[in-house]
Amino acid sequence: MRGRKKTPQKSHHSKAPSGQIRIIGGQHRGRKLPVHDVTGLRPTTDRVKETVFNWLMMDVRDANVLDCFAGAGSLGFEALSRFAAKATLIELDNTAAKQLEENAQLLKLSNVDIINTNAITFVQQMAQQSFDLVFVDPPFNQNLSTPCCEALEENNWLSEQALVYVEVESDNQDFSAPANWQLFKEKVAGQVWCRLYRRN
């Protein structure tokens, strides 16, 4: 199916409706990458991705990027296409993680680490490095975003002025960011609530 751009709400179903994602900007613009049909996988739509990367236009280049719930890699690969220095993609599902590895090879990327593990467990460890840009886009209805963000802050994963993009359900009343994060941008698009925070 190739109609995702016109019907972005389809990408919020529990399974990816199409077998591919598309990079919309940068050096790999227009490249389509295959995606496995994995339960809970919810690739960020082109419409939402365009909004997010418009927000991040001045901040992606040369950034060290962490994609906590990488899924199809829609956000992480987009950041690399737009000249992020490096990206670390964390994905729990074995099949999805293997696909991320294959897609990194398709794009001939040498500046990406793909880690097949639980994102919450990963960020609950003390950081070995700090990140300038972090994507927190977990599976819906599992209450993962708040503990992930708390662990990012508590365990020194974030650089001083880090930007953190959080994507939750539009009706989510439970998400709360650490007190020192300033809400920078916000938008509701269908079932998705997009928020960009800057760490102070």
Side-chain angles (χ1 to χ4, degrees):
M1 290 173 63
R2 299 179 64 184
R4 275 186 57 228
K5 193 170 183 185
K6 292 179 184 172
T7 55
Q9 70 274 12
K10 285 189 178 180
S11 70
H12 308 305
H13 291 175
S14 62
K15 292 189 176 183
S18 69
Q20 60 190 21
I21 57 168
R22 188 170 69 93
I23 295 176
I24 61 172
Q27 59 189 324
H28 302 297
R29 181 179 182 176
R31 287 293 299 272
K32 292 175 180 174
L33 300 173
V35 177
H36 275 290
D37 199 13
V38 173
T39 302
L41 195 67
R42 187 182 46 77
T44 300
T45 65
D46 286 0
R47 184 178 65 160
V48 169
K49 196 157 52 173
E50 192 167 353
T51 297
V52 174
F53 282 90
N54 281 342
W55 291 349
L56 296 171
M57 195 177 294
M58 308 304 292
D59 300 285
V60 177
R61 184 180 284 269
D62 299 327
N64 191 17
V65 175
L66 175 64
D67 191 349
C68 289
F69 303 88
S74 189
L75 295 170
F77 287 137
E78 188 73 36
L80 288 167
S81 180
R82 295 169 188 246
F83 304 100
K86 187 183 175 190
T88 301
L89 277 57
I90 305 173
E91 175 51 43
L92 178 61
D93 184 88
N94 293 338
T95 304
K98 188 169 185 295
Q99 186 69 64
L100 290 171
E101 294 273 10
E102 291 170 7
N103 287 345
Q105 290 172 12
L106 275 178
L107 295 174
K108 299 181 171 63
L109 296 172
S110 58
N111 56 343
V112 60
D113 289 330
I114 291 150
I115 303 173
N116 182 195
T117 192
N118 182 300
I120 302 290
T121 306
F122 184 83
V123 296
Q124 282 174 342
Q125 308 168 75
M126 285 304 292
Q128 302 300 308
Q129 60 178 311
S130 63
F131 293 91
D132 311 305
L133 174 59
V134 179
F135 298 113
V136 179
D137 178 16
F140 278 179
N141 305 311
Q142 295 185 31
N143 298 316
L144 297 171
S145 45
T146 299
C148 182
C149 291
E150 287 171 350
L152 286 167
E153 180 61 41
E154 289 169 7
N155 297 314
N156 299 324
W157 289 100
L158 305 173
S159 63
E160 201 170 306
Q161 294 282 307
L163 288 165
V164 183
Y165 171 72
V166 182
E167 193 173 298
V168 296
E169 311 91 318
S170 56
D171 59 354
N172 187 322
Q173 301 299 313
D174 298 323
F175 174 71
S176 62
N180 60 318
W181 292 13
Q182 179 185 356
L183 184 60
F184 188 51
K185 299 277 188 180
E186 181 176 27
K187 182 176 181 177
V188 174
Q191 299 175 47
V192 177
W193 193 349
C194 313
R195 300 178 180 186
L196 182 64
Y197 292 90
R198 187 179 291 280
R199 180 175 187 256
N200 290 323

